[in-house]
Amino acid sequence: MIDDALSFFKALANDNRLKIVGLLAQQEYTGEELATILSIQPATVSHHLARLAEIGLVSARADGYYSVYALSVERLRTLLDEHLSSDAFIQLTNDLDLQAYENQVLREYIRPDNQLQKIPNQINRRKIILAHIVRDLKPGVRYSEGQVDRILGKIYDDPKALRVELLDQKFLTRDEDGYWRGKLQRSSGAGYGIWD
Amino acid sequence: MIDDALSFFKALANDNRLKIVGLLAQQEYTGEELATILSIQPATVSHHLARLAEIGLVSARADGYYSVYALSVERLRTLLDEHLSSDAFIQLTNDLDLQAYENQVLREYIRPDNQLQKIPNQINRRKIILAHIVRDLKPGVRYSEGQVDRILGKIYDDPKALRVELLDQKFLTRDEDGYWRGKLQRSSGAGYGIWD
DNA sequence: ATTGTAATTAGACATTCTTCTAACTATTTA
DNA sequence: TAAATAGTTAGAAGAATGTCTAATTACAAT
């Protein structure tokens, strides 16, 4: 997936290869002609053509002892569609663990026995911890203050402080009838798509 | 022109930078988060973000001692338009001397005193020479065989051979009333555009 | 004020890439 | 058949790139 995109951009990330594509976009050329126009050695042209051929952008046809090179317009269209479509950029992250940072922060503050060591100072990390902890409350259920503190007390020795933080950061809501869990929110900035 | 296209493709010709673009296409991230998700050092992330910022693809906003990075969607659209439009590829050749090969062949076979040394064996080169020589005849004018040979004789000691070649390769046409110059043709394969 | 954190920069090291020359193959022409 | 030509491949040298560590800057919290 990302390897294909990478091959595509790498293939075009060179001035002589870009020039070759530009030339072949207008007409066919032999290797000798390309070498002369670009002022480089035939061997170098061969190398660049091979790289362009790797992604199917260029094809060769034999003509006597000449090779005549042509741009594959079909393939160019396909490649542009594949790697520059609205989803293409997002799919570049397919193999990544998007939760890696959150998990790292959780491991840092919550011990293996599930005890919170300390409420993080930085708002960033605090939110990650709170978003995790609030999952101990069931959504849609209303809790008394005592119930909340009992639940929080199982993972931290100052449940009141934890409760206040959860309220401050809107992970927990209260009214005269008690507390309930708010909707989960992202830890980072709001997401948005490339093409709206 | 080509430098801009080159910067664009080079900026995206790296796996970690592609991943960063993919991540930022979905939401904002801090450098620390990117480093964790990509499993690389913050310094390396900084370096890649700087390269993406060079072409305006990424912008940073300060938030405390964090920098929050965002993809510039506007800029991405502009870049795609600029470098992948129908003309973009053709304009990559703007600074090239497209006649370099023809000129080299001409220099090889025609001496400074404008005398043709020899008719090239290879069809390729022969055509280039003939296309050049036929310009000694005015388009639209009808010549007798004697007139043709007199003109060709000024640059080559066997005008008859030259005349036959010009006819063979269709640079010259004849009927019962005489000879006339054919339309000029390209030396290489037929040109075609990318998007028809 | 001091300490801690995120980010950047400089510099070093290793890897990748570009280009060349030289050797070799395939094809054509004398 | 021998010589000439276009192209490819292998290998080497130099340039560019990616990544790291260490030092530095900017900001924030105790």
Side-chain angles (χ1 to χ4, degrees), chain A residues 54-67:
Chain A
E54 271 171 23
I55 60 166
L57 244 193
V58 158
S59 63
R61 109 182 120 74
D63 180 12
Y65 51 30
Y66 290 86
S67 289

Side-chain angles (χ1 to χ4, degrees), chain A:
Chain A
M1 184 93 279
I2 194 175
D3 291 331
D4 292 343
L6 192 55
S7 314
F8 169 69
F9 287 113
K10 277 191 173 180
L12 297 180
N14 173 270
D15 58 344
N16 279 324
R17 284 198 295 276
L18 274 182
K19 288 173 187 168
I20 288 174
V21 169
L23 288 166
L24 296 183
Q26 299 172 64
Q27 64 171 78
E28 299 179 328
Y29 282 97
T30 64
E32 199 193 9
E33 290 171 327
L34 292 173
T36 306
I37 294 176
L38 298 177
S39 305
I40 56 180
Q41 295 300 312
T44 307
V45 172
S46 246
H47 168 248
H48 288 312
L49 287 168
R51 300 218 35 193
L52 292 171
E54 271 171 23
I55 60 166
L57 244 193
V58 158
S59 63
R61 109 182 120 74
D63 180 12
Y65 51 30
Y66 290 86
S67 289
V68 182
Y69 300 97
L71 188 71
S72 168
V73 181
E74 288 307 310
R75 180 62 179 156
L76 179 55
R77 278 214 198 81
T78 306
L79 287 169
L80 295 181
D81 283 355
E82 240 173 71
H83 302 303
L84 305 166
S85 73
S86 72
D87 293 322
F89 285 94
I90 290 170
Q91 295 188 346
L92 293 171
T93 65
N94 277 353
D95 293 337
L96 298 179
D97 175 11
L98 300 181
Q99 264 65 55
Y101 181 70
E102 282 85 347
N103 290 339
Q104 178 179 288
V105 172
L106 291 176
R107 273 196 307 277
E108 194 178 337
Y109 283 90
I110 300 180
R111 293 191 304 251
D113 61 0
N114 208 33
Q115 290 297 300
L116 176 64
Q117 295 197 287
K118 148 179 208 300
I119 298 176
N121 304 319
Q122 298 153 78
I123 181 69
N124 231 3
R125 299 180 177 193
R126 199 155 64 235
K127 279 187 175 176
I128 290 172
I129 296 298
L130 296 173
H132 175 75
I133 286 175
V134 80
R135 296 209 200 109
D136 288 344
L137 305 181
K138 297 198 177 81
V141 174
R142 205 162 275 249
Y143 297 89
S144 72
E145 190 167 292
Q147 289 176 309
V148 169
D149 284 0
R150 213 168 306 123
I151 292 169
L152 297 180
K154 288 182 186 167
I155 59 163
Y156 192 54
D157 58 11
D158 186 354
K160 179 168 179 298
L162 210 43
R163 168 165 47 80
V164 169
E165 277 299 336
L166 287 167
L167 280 169
D168 277 0
Q169 300 299 329
K170 305 273 172 58
F171 289 100
L172 203 56
T173 316
R174 81 174 294 186
D175 65 6
E176 53 278 358
D177 291 335
Y179 295 79
W180 68 92
R181 168 176 163 182
K183 296 221 161 72
L184 284 181
Q185 43 191 94
R186 310 199 71 126
S187 59
S188 273
Y192 52 87
I194 295 186
W195 283 266
D196 307 358

